[in-house]
Amino acid sequence: MKPGIHPDYHKVVFVDASTGFKFLSGSTKTSNQTIQWEDGNEYPLISVEVSSDSHPFYTGRQKFADKGGRVDRFKQKYNLK
């Protein structure tokens, strides 16, 4: 690799803002906030909105919108067949 053109790659802790799930990974992002990890070292802390712990694709809690058309909903609403 050419020196001086690549960003600094280091370990950081990502925390899911909605679930509080934390994981240690490598990244070029930095942060002013730090956290002490399970190994006793301090790492930069980066908050993310969605991770594998909260995304419906990975959790299996995905909602499928299979409501049918307007006529079907009308018939269901007024209990018509």
Side-chain angles (χ1 to χ4, degrees), residues 3-21:
I5 63 168
H6 297 284
D8 181 32
Y9 186 79
H10 53 276
K11 291 188 176 188
V12 295
V13 175
F14 291 96
V15 62
D16 190 323
S18 59
T19 64
F21 176 70

Side-chain angles (χ1 to χ4, degrees), residues 11 40 57 65 67 70:
K11 291 188 176 188
F57 179 79
K67 292 186 176 184
R70 287 181 156 198

